[in-house]
Amino acid sequence: MREILIVGGGYAGFYTAWRLEKKLRKGEARVTVVDPRPYMTYQPFLPEVTAGSVEARHAAVSLRRHLRSTRLIAGSVTEIRHADRTVSVRSAGGADYELQYDTLVVTAGAVTRTFPVPGVAEQAIGLKHVEEAVAIRDRLMTAFDQAASLPPGPERQRLLTVTFVGGGFSGVEGFGELLSLATAMVRYYPELSFDDVSFHLVEARGRILPEVGDKPGAWVVRSLEDRGGHVHLNTQLLSAEDGHVVLSDGKEFDSELIVWAAGNASNPVVHNHTDLPVDERGLIVVRPDLRVGTDSEPVPDAWAAGDDAAVPDLASPVPGAHTVPNAQHAVRQGKRLAKNIAASLRGRGTRNYRHSSLGVVATLGLGRGIFQYKGIVIKGLPAWLMHRGYHVLAVPSWERKVRVLAVWLTAALWGRDLVSLASVQHPRDAFVANAAPHRPGRSQVGDHPAA
């Protein structure tokens, strides 16, 4: 039986395995997915997780629940040696071992791109995983609780200052959603006013949301500023040491919460630890049918898709263009990849990946959004509804769709749940702090008073 090894359980990897389970005949091949996380993160929901509009677990799609005939390995691939059909795996416990395969599928996904800015590694939180989105929400809500007990002054101002770095979709959506959450929370804190809250979005380029046109992008900036946000264009973060933000436009302020959303970089295992061909950006070179290599120099038994693959964009009028790294392409590439692998195993021809964009849509906070398809631009509430409608249809499985819809309907009736659970990040603190000291000569069993 052939062994198909999928490196990474994100969008492309999950959908490749999911479709292969349906396409492969019994005994034709075994599919193995290696990923350090037991779930696929539905990243478009992360901004709404930060705002409490989507429950954290509903943005995580369980691999074991949906990939029932796939072997799942909890670990990270640290090296790919395709010449030997071998990968090195580091398990969740830290042990290293090797896996053999016949067919390789690389869908490791991108990682957060960082720069050597002083203080970022110690202070900032990313926005790529569910845990990070939950931590951002809890940090903001805890800051509100602490600020409400303080008199007006620098410490209160620091606690209520939020900084987002990066004006792409992740940064803008997260900024808009968290600004919406903060606006809603002020109503429940009579000690505070919205004038105490300060939100900053920092972008090195002269515009945000490069996927939309200039005019829609400018409208988004005006919309965020009308709601009290501060958008710093053509500005870089110079330092964030001890939470003190220094910007290249001369602004300086203390910020309790710093969110880093300044784009993606290729996965280190793809960029540095593989013998597969990569381009100047560190992305795997693939043909239009998602095979690794070129027409003149194909790499046998190797496939790749998603954010770490340079997939030719056959729908683009620009010669040599590649598909943009987003969920819309990764999902469809995974489905095409599964069909092509199954066809290849049976000696049949494969089909090229081709997908014309369905447009781009972004949430900017509760009831606010923007959608663009070619020359069509929709703003405000209709675009926000389109965002929710599209993603509830796109999230895999009816079980997840129903759960997300239920939370949205509940929030529409009673509002968002404004509770911070920051203490879950340190679950033993209360146990250790409140543990009664042992008194010699007294049994620890039966010391507790009756309930």
Side-chain angles (χ1 to χ4, degrees), residues 70-122:
T70 296
R71 181 173 65 149
L72 300 173
I73 295 178
S76 301
V77 171
T78 58
E79 185 178 6
I80 298 172
R81 299 182 298 280
H82 189 63
D84 301 327
R85 301 298 193 273
T86 303
V87 298
S88 297
V89 177
R90 179 160 297 161
S91 69
D96 294 327
Y97 58 95
E98 294 186 348
L99 285 177
Q100 300 283 333
Y101 62 83
D102 298 298
T103 299
L104 177 69
V105 179
V106 182
T107 54
V111 297
T112 301
R113 181 180 61 183
T114 57
F115 301 99
V117 178
V120 165
E122 296 78 17

Side-chain angles (χ1 to χ4, degrees), residues 45-362:
F45 279 158
L46 293 186
E48 294 199 67
V49 171
T50 66
S53 300
V54 172
E55 288 294 327
R57 287 185 176 86
H58 299 169
V61 180
S62 170
L63 297 181
R64 292 196 176 276
R65 178 164 186 166
H66 298 287
L67 303 180
R68 299 188 178 182
S69 60
T70 296
R71 181 173 65 149
L72 300 173
I73 295 178
S76 301
V77 171
T78 58
E79 185 178 6
I80 298 172
R81 299 182 298 280
H82 189 63
D84 301 327
R85 301 298 193 273
T86 303
V87 298
S88 297
V89 177
R90 179 160 297 161
S91 69
D96 294 327
Y97 58 95
E98 294 186 348
L99 285 177
Q100 300 283 333
Y101 62 83
D102 298 298
T103 299
L104 177 69
V105 179
V106 182
T107 54
V111 297
T112 301
R113 181 180 61 183
T114 57
F115 301 99
V117 178
V120 165
E122 296 78 17
Q123 301 293 329
I125 302 176
L127 186 51
K128 196 170 182 62
H129 301 291
V130 173
E131 300 92 336
E132 294 172 323
V134 172
I136 291 169
R137 170 180 164 82
D138 286 341
R139 179 78 68 84
L140 178 70
M141 301 188 79
T142 300
F144 263 73
D145 289 333
Q146 294 173 346
S149 64
L150 296 175
E155 181 62 15
R156 175 191 276 191
Q157 186 65 55
R158 179 188 66 82
L159 286 167
L160 298 179
T161 298
V162 176
T163 305
F164 272 72
V165 182
F169 261 84
S170 179
V172 171
E173 288 190 316
F175 183 84
E177 285 288 346
L178 211 64
L179 180 59
S180 178
L181 174 62
T183 304
M185 289 176 61
V186 167
R187 300 198 302 268
Y188 299 95
Y189 289 84
E191 306 91 345
L192 306 175
S193 72
F194 190 76
D195 291 336
D196 298 317
V197 179
S198 184
F199 270 66
H200 298 266
L201 175 62
V202 182
E203 170 54 45
R205 292 168 293 189
R207 52 164 300 176
I208 61 175
L209 294 180
E211 294 86 352
V212 304
D214 290 341
K215 289 184 177 179
W219 176 86
V220 173
V221 171
R222 292 194 302 271
S223 174
L224 294 174
E225 291 181 335
D226 289 344
R227 293 161 55 192
H230 306 280
V231 181
H232 305 265
L233 300 178
N234 294 310
T235 304
Q236 296 179 353
L237 176 66
L238 300 181
S239 176
E241 289 187 291
D242 298 322
H244 182 70
V245 172
V246 180
L247 303 179
S248 62
D249 64 359
K251 301 288 194 309
E252 294 188 30
F253 49 86
D254 293 327
S255 182
E256 169 68 10
L257 175 58
I258 301 173
V259 181
W260 184 269
N264 297 324
S266 61
N267 195 293
V269 70
V270 171
H271 192 278
N272 302 316
H273 304 290
T274 178
D275 56 358
L276 297 173
V278 297
D279 66 9
E280 65 280 358
R281 298 172 297 166
L283 303 179
I284 296 179
V285 177
V286 300
R287 307 189 319 181
D289 65 353
L290 305 178
R291 294 176 186 265
V292 174
T294 62
D295 290 336
S296 59
E297 297 183 23
V299 178
D301 302 319
W303 308 76
D307 291 355
D308 55 15
V311 180
D313 190 353
L314 301 183
S316 173
V318 180
H322 295 92
T323 58
V324 297
N326 61 22
Q328 193 175 135
H329 281 297
V331 168
R332 288 165 176 79
Q333 287 170 12
K335 294 177 180 179
R336 169 48 52 197
L337 192 50
K339 294 177 182 178
N340 282 352
I341 291 173
S344 178
L345 291 176
R346 297 162 192 163
R348 300 175 184 171
T350 59
R351 293 178 58 185
N352 291 339
Y353 171 76
R354 182 187 181 95
H355 172 66
S356 297
S357 174
L358 301 175
V360 292
V361 62

Side-chain angles (χ1 to χ4, degrees), residues 380-400:
L381 179 61
W384 178 77
L385 292 172
M386 292 172 67
H387 177 273
R388 287 205 160 183
Y390 172 78
H391 285 299
V392 80
L393 291 175
V395 67
S397 83
W398 280 103
E399 170 257 341
R400 274 294 177 268

